[in-house]
Amino acid sequence: MASSAAATAKPIALPPALIRGGGCCCWTARPVTAGVARLRVSASAASSDVPDFLSSNWLETRKRKPFGPRLNFTAEEAVEYQLESLKYNDQPRQDYGIEVMYRFAGFDPFERSTYFGRHFDLGQFERFRRLFHHSAYRVLLGHKEREILSSLWVEENRFKQRIWVQGARPEEEEIFQFTMVQRVGGSWDGYWLTESLINDGDAFSGIGFFFILEDVIRVAYWQVA
């Protein structure tokens, strides 16, 4: 319809424009050309293609928050949800599970962190993501099975858990240690965040065993005292 209207468009006479000069006023007619008429017709047709309504679930999607720490999560639940996200790492998009891990991470992005056992600058998500694709941590991505080996309450707001993980690749398995800390004060008051995630058997972060030993000695000292 738009093309036929454009084809039959004729010059449209507008009120003549006022021209001043020589102490008098006179009017001259300015016709609208067929090209201008075509532009007006096409603009009208384009505007009719834009929907004037929102989708039925628009409000629901706006309210939906990215998955991350929740005030009602226990330390064990926080670990479980993170591992489950890594198991389905690429759902609903690639490396979404690592994004969840980054939201749970309790380090300061402006300082070097020992999240992976050694000091790394993890302020940028891309650096954090690449370390999960390192051979020491990639077993977590899309893993098949896992089993809790031990859990330890170091303090009231500090929790450790060692987990055996079987990866998706043949004969791929590792043991990891989560250290969860419950924040006190500030905007994250009461939330369980991940202080560190360490591969026990890799030289890249093999100091995890010594951290566990140190915590066991500390707990034993408190019990004796």
Side-chain angles (χ1 to χ4, degrees):
M1 181 180 293
S3 59
S4 61
T8 58
K10 298 180 180 180
I12 303 173
L14 294 178
L18 180 64
I19 299 178
R20 297 181 181 274
C24 64
C25 297
C26 59
W27 298 90
T28 59
R30 293 181 179 176
V32 177
T33 63
V36 175
R38 282 196 298 271
L39 288 175
R40 290 179 178 176
V41 172
S42 61
S44 176
S47 63
S48 64
D49 295 335
V50 179
D52 58 353
F53 60 88
L54 297 173
S55 61
S56 58
N57 64 341
W58 179 84
L59 184 59
E60 180 183 351
T61 56
R62 291 288 295 177
K63 291 181 178 179
R64 190 179 304 161
K65 296 180 179 179
F67 186 76
R70 298 288 188 271
L71 188 58
N72 61 329
F73 285 174
T74 64
E76 295 93 335
E77 289 174 338
V79 173
E80 177 67 18
Y81 287 134
Q82 290 181 82
L83 287 170
E84 196 69 7
S85 297
L86 290 176
K87 182 176 182 178
Y88 302 99
N89 179 55
D90 292 330
Q91 298 180 18
R93 59 179 177 270
Q94 185 177 8
D95 285 338
Y96 177 77
I98 301 179
E99 292 181 23
V100 173
M101 299 296 294
Y102 198 68
R103 296 190 190 105
F104 273 94
F107 55 77
D108 185 345
F110 296 101
E111 297 182 2
R112 296 176 68 85
S113 169
T114 56
Y115 182 95
F116 292 104
R118 298 179 61 183
H119 285 85
F120 290 103
D121 182 1
L122 302 176
Q124 297 181 5
F125 171 73
E126 180 60 22
R127 296 178 180 176
F128 185 83
R129 187 189 70 84
R130 288 181 179 179
L131 284 173
F132 266 99
H133 284 277
H134 184 273
S135 59
Y137 287 88
R138 67 183 182 185
V139 62
L140 289 165
L141 307 180
H143 64 270
K144 291 183 177 180
E145 296 182 19
R146 62 178 181 267
E147 180 181 348
I148 297 175
L149 300 179
S150 62
S151 299
L152 176 66
W153 285 95
V154 182
E155 300 174 6
E156 183 180 357
N157 61 343
R158 187 179 179 86
F159 174 78
K160 288 181 178 288
Q161 191 170 81
R162 297 179 70 244
I163 300 169
W164 169 83
V165 178
Q166 180 181 0
R169 301 172 182 83
E171 300 181 358
E172 184 181 48
E173 59 181 62
E174 299 287 350
I175 296 176
F176 296 92
Q177 174 192 297
F178 272 89
T179 300
M180 305 297 298
V181 175
Q182 188 179 38
R183 289 290 180 86
V184 178
S187 58
W188 290 102
D189 182 45
Y191 288 82
W192 284 97
L193 303 179
T194 307
E195 182 180 76
S196 64
L197 173 58
I198 298 174
N199 183 322
D200 277 1
D202 189 80
F204 165 66
S205 54
I207 59 176
F209 170 77
F210 297 100
F211 287 166
I212 296 176
L213 182 61
E214 179 184 355
D215 289 331
V216 170
I217 294 174
R218 185 184 306 170
V219 171
Y221 173 78
W222 288 342
Q223 291 176 349
V224 172

